[in-house]
Amino acid sequence: MSVTDDVTHAVTGELTGEDLAGLARIRQEAEAGPGEQATRAQHARGKLTARERIALLLDPGSFQEVEQLRRHRASGFGLEHRRPYTDGVITGWGTVDGRTVFVYAHDFRIFGGSLGEAHAAKIHKIMDMALSAGAPLVSLNDGAGARIQEGVSALAGYGGIFRRNTRASGVIPQISVMLGPCAGGAAYSPALTDFVFMVRETAQMFITGPDVVSAVTGAQLTQNALGGADVHATTSGVAHFVYEDEETCLAEVRYLLSLLPSNNRQNPPVHPSDDPADRVASTLYDLVPQDGNQPYDMHKVIEELVDDGDWLEVHERWARNIVCGLARLDGRVVGIVANQPQTLAGVLDISASEKAGRFVTMCDAFNIPIVTLLDVPGFLPGADQEHGGIIRHGAKLLYAYCNATVPRVSIVLRKAYGGAYIVLDSQSIGADLTFAWPSNEIAVMGAEGAANVIFRREIAAADDPEAKRAEMVKQYKSELMHPYYAAERGLVDDVIDPAQTREILIRSLAMLRTKHADLPSRKHGNPPQ
């Protein structure tokens, strides 16, 4: 190109073939990343690249990248000589089943996915766009934390992410997918989101790594032993879902998104079902034993009630004495909270209260009706529970139910004793409809315990204390624990045939679909911590 051509081009602003070729080269460089060697190293760790992950998450061809050509402006420690495009994070939007979803994905091949000023600015922008557009945000996390070479600028970048996580909470669904090591600040953002997915072996989360723990405490721990997927799925409760590989994990993220609305102003998607709304669930007669002390699997009860037996359990491996999950009834999404008699007899304890309380709050935030299935003997007794704050933690579940304005239907399958009965969406704390099976026992406590308290003098004075105790237990049951005691006093709306439970739930929720409830005017409540 001649000098005259250069001047003419500058004046007219005309694009040339060379301009477009230059753009293509830059885009190719940005999309390729640091090269094949870095990609092979990523694959050798058992991990996909950021772009491969985005391709699995979103509908084919739907991804629109934002700020692909951004580069950092930092200097020192050799950074001025390393200025790759994207700065180690890929941001943009696409669709999942045709619905808009925003995403950012750390590229571990670039600076180990660490967060610097430009990196953070890209994440801030895509979070702001997601909130403005009213669409879910999915983060694909595989980063080494703050970029040490950028100092406090990197830390400030995390602060901006945390503030946006909090602003978006309850407005749009936020899903964190942990696909590599995430330490320090990188672990706090997922904790602020609605759901956390982890891949076994390759993903870890911790505030301080094994080396620091060893230096301070002397304990020798691997990354997985300290903050691996199994630890967070079973012990800490940080991870809601754990999978063996990234492909399955991202497929399940897509499934979860199909059960959630795009934002808090919409309802979840409706998927018509071939499962009849009036299907008779006679299998329930055999699934739930009449003997209140005999365990059974609540999962099977849920599968019998919901459309096609299909549902997604949340926190499956943590606090297993209570079950939480998302399912559909007549094609419409519901949240299910249920005691699990197979674990600790289904009692409520600290972890179960926290698990169910947060699930109820999530459902309420995103317009998901709540179905509660009760078979609860009470709160778990013991000094460990009392000293650990069962009062405070149990109040979280109570607060969540009392604060929820979505349609709420509860069913007592067998027993519901004491404070646990009240807390688990009883009529007195605002359940819209409450039903009970004919085998139900609603009382302050079990008959044996009640008789020991009420009739202890008579029992102690009797010639045959055991025979007297049995007599008093029978009397207490006949007077205060028969199946219709609560119905006679209006504490349940009806006693129903278990086989009709599915139909009654669907009809009840259809009636409640237009429910409107106002909370008192306030900045926000002060929930128990």
Side-chain angles (χ1 to χ4, degrees), residues 78-102:
L79 284 179
E80 63 271 20
H81 305 301
R82 299 177 61 199
R83 300 181 62 232
Y85 292 114
T86 74
D87 199 51
V89 64
I90 300 169
T91 58
W93 77 87
T95 60
V96 172
D97 296 329
R99 300 164 64 215
T100 299
V101 172
F102 288 80

Side-chain angles (χ1 to χ4, degrees), residues 281-289 300-302 304-305 413 437 497-502:
S282 55
T283 308
L284 293 173
Y285 297 138
D286 300 320
L287 289 179
V288 181
K300 294 181 179 179
V301 174
I302 295 171
E304 181 65 21
L305 293 175
L413 276 58
W437 287 2
D497 181 345
Q500 294 181 312
T501 302
R502 172 179 162 84

Side-chain angles (χ1 to χ4, degrees), residues 148-168:
I148 299 173
Q149 299 95 320
E150 295 196 31
V152 72
S153 296
L155 296 179
Y158 273 124
I161 294 173
F162 303 156
R163 180 163 58 89
R164 287 168 172 83
N165 283 137
T166 304
R167 286 181 59 201

Side-chain angles (χ1 to χ4, degrees), residues 308-331:
D308 305 309
D310 186 26
W311 65 298
L312 179 64
E313 185 170 1
V314 178
H315 269 143
E316 179 182 359
R317 298 172 60 201
W318 181 57
R320 300 178 79 161
N321 41 321
I322 201 157
V323 175
C324 300
L326 296 169
R328 284 190 172 90
L329 285 170
D330 199 28

Side-chain angles (χ1 to χ4, degrees), residues 239-292:
H240 299 78
F241 307 97
V242 170
Y243 297 99
E244 295 292 337
D245 56 77
E246 295 190 19
E247 291 84 356
T248 304
C249 180
L250 292 169
E252 289 301 295
V253 173
R254 288 177 59 91
Y255 178 40
L256 173 60
L257 285 167
S258 75
L259 296 166
L260 299 174
S262 292
N263 57 64
N264 65 339
R265 300 182 301 278
Q266 298 180 6
N267 291 321
V270 178
H271 287 189
S273 172
D274 294 330
D275 195 346
D278 59 354
R279 170 170 55 82
V280 177
S282 55
T283 308
L284 293 173
Y285 297 138
D286 300 320
L287 289 179
V288 181
Q290 292 292 310
D291 181 358

